[in-house]
Every structure is written in structure tokens, then in C-alpha cells.
Amino acid sequence: MRVDIHMDGSTKFWFTFLLLAIFSWSVGGQVRKVEEILVTKVSLETSNKLTISVWTDQASVRRGDDIVVFFSVLNRGSKTIFLVSKETPSIVNDRGDVLIEAPVPGIEDWEEYDYSFHEIVPGGNYRAKFVIPGKATEKEYDVAIRTGLGFVEDITGIDRKLRRAEDPLTLRGPLQRRIETVGIGDLRILLYNP
């Protein structure tokens, strides 16, 4: 048996209101808030078969404590690749949007060359971590964390330290031309008061 019910606009409004009132009454009159959703792990795969994961072990961190962000790079491709890292990674907080910058030589650090290279052979995996100092996020309620990683396929001539009185541009220029970057995020971490 089929029953068709036809309602005008006002009747639909009151019918919907009545259904919501009955539903609210049936759950004890309590309105339940959806628990805050925090992202603790993000993974991606690149066109050259790198599987990159970034994660944290905690969905919430006490305000003022360091935030540890782990990452891994699995090389499922056919070529050896080198992860570029900087001795002191640049971490920027813009009102809760935290960026761990990719290690691309920039204008601001033109006097330095503090890059190292981690070989990841086909089938190989590299794991490391970044530490975001607690002072960088102590005024935030929550943070969204994005990470930039840099990769090169050829380290010929750039895998060394500067010689005494050598112009950093001799190494920084070739690195800047060769590096490919990948951005990954957003992890979302809640900060709470101690």
C-alpha cells in the first residue's frame, strides 16, 4: 500500500520541527556535540613512487611543550633518491598554521651551506623527525602542521661543506636548480593548558 502525503511550506516546517523535537526528546533532551576531529597521520605517493608519511604520536600536546613530528620516505621507484635536509630546519608559525619549510636555499641564508643528503635506494626507507619548539606555538589553541621535503637525484659536487673563504653560491646554486620539493599536511594537533 502506498500513502502520499502532500504538505505546503508551513506544514513542512512544523512537521520537520516536530520530528526534531521528538528525536531530541528520545535522546534524553541532550544535544551531543561531535567530538573534535584531529589529524595525526597523513600519507601520499609521488609520481616517482615515493611513499611519504608524516605523523605525530599525540593528538593533543600541553601548551608550551615541544611537538614531535615524525616522517618516513619509502622509495618504491627504480632510482636512488637523496632526501635533502638542513642542519636547522626553518619553522614558521602564522597564527596556528605551522610550516616546516622545505630545505630550499633562499635569500635569507645566503652566507650558509648547511645541507646534508640521505640516500634512499629503491626499496629503501628513511625515517626521521622534526621538533617544533613549544615556544613557537605557546599562544595557540590548535595547530595545523604542514611539512616540506626536498629531494635530488644527483648530489655530484654538492655533497660537501664549504671550503674556507668559498662563496656559498658555488654549492647553493646547483642545489637550488636540482631540488624538487613535496609539501604534505595538514596534521591538526590540539594544545591544552598545563
Side-chain angles (χ1 to χ4, degrees), residues 42-46 50-55 71-74 149 151 182-184:
V42 178
S43 296
L44 62 78
E45 185 170 305
T46 65
L50 297 179
T51 301
I52 303 170
S53 297
V54 177
W55 72 94
F71 72 93
S72 70
V73 180
L74 171 63
L149 299 174
F151 299 94
V182 175
I184 183 171

Side-chain angles (χ1 to χ4, degrees), residues 169-182:
L169 191 57
T170 59
L171 297 177
R172 292 167 54 79
L175 174 58
Q176 192 169 32
R177 285 188 295 277
R178 295 178 198 175
I179 196 167
E180 292 291 331
T181 60
V182 175

Side-chain angles (χ1 to χ4, degrees), residues 76-100:
R76 295 181 44 236
S78 59
K79 294 182 180 179
T80 295
I81 193 123
F82 296 88
L83 174 72
V84 181
S85 62
K86 195 169 181 193
E87 191 173 308
T88 308
S90 176
I91 299 172
V92 178
N93 179 6
D94 181 16
R95 295 175 285 164
D97 290 331
V98 177
L99 173 64
I100 302 169

Side-chain angles (χ1 to χ4, degrees), residues 101-146:
E101 293 183 330
V104 177
I107 296 170
E108 69 282 346
D109 56 356
W110 65 273
E111 293 180 352
E112 304 172 350
Y113 187 82
D114 58 348
Y115 299 92
S116 57
F117 304 89
H118 308 281
E119 182 178 28
I120 309 171
V121 298
N125 192 15
Y126 179 81
R127 291 176 178 242
K129 66 181 178 181
F130 295 109
V131 177
I132 300 170
K135 287 187 176 195
T137 60
E138 65 188 355
K139 295 180 180 177
E140 308 301 339
Y141 168 74
D142 64 352
V143 291
I145 302 169
R146 291 179 196 89

